[in-house]
Amino acid sequence: MSSCCGQTKKSGSAETSCCGSNNVTIFSCSGGSRIGQVANDSAVLLKNLGAGKMSCITCISLLMNNHIDTAQNAKCVVAIDGCKVGCVKQ
């Protein structure tokens, strides 16, 4: 059972999250290290599988309003970090 917005619903015999892929925003590290690239590749794969849409974490740090609004309006945010510094999570 998982829940990204505080609720779950049943779909047949399995419980699924109330957040559909339209409500999921994915942010990832794409830093200079190999693991940063793996994090970004994972985010792209999730997007391509229809799990959500990607947004730019760098634009958040640059205080670009449209990206900040996207993050604030998302019901579910997936943050994929590439190292222990945790830039995306912050």
Side-chain angles (χ1 to χ4, degrees):
M1 176 170 94
S2 66
S3 173
C4 59
C5 53
Q7 300 174 345
T8 57
K9 64 181 180 180
K10 289 196 175 192
S11 173
S13 62
E15 290 189 15
T16 59
S17 168
C18 63
C19 298
S21 61
N22 292 333
N23 298 325
V24 177
T25 302
I26 304 164
F27 292 97
S28 73
C29 172
S30 11
S33 70
R34 173 73 182 124
I35 197 68
Q37 292 303 308
V38 170
N40 188 63
D41 291 346
S42 299
V44 170
L45 179 62
L46 286 171
K47 179 191 76 78
N48 290 342
L49 290 172
K53 61 183 179 180
M54 287 183 69
S55 192
C56 180
I57 195 65
T58 302
C59 291
I60 298 288
S61 67
L62 293 172
L63 303 177
M64 299 178 91
N65 289 332
N66 59 332
H67 291 275
I68 292 170
D69 290 343
T70 296
Q72 289 177 333
N73 293 325
K75 291 195 178 192
C76 184
V77 173
V78 176
I80 305 172
D81 277 303
C83 72
K84 66 181 179 179
V85 174
C87 299
V88 179
K89 180 173 53 176
Q90 295 178 35

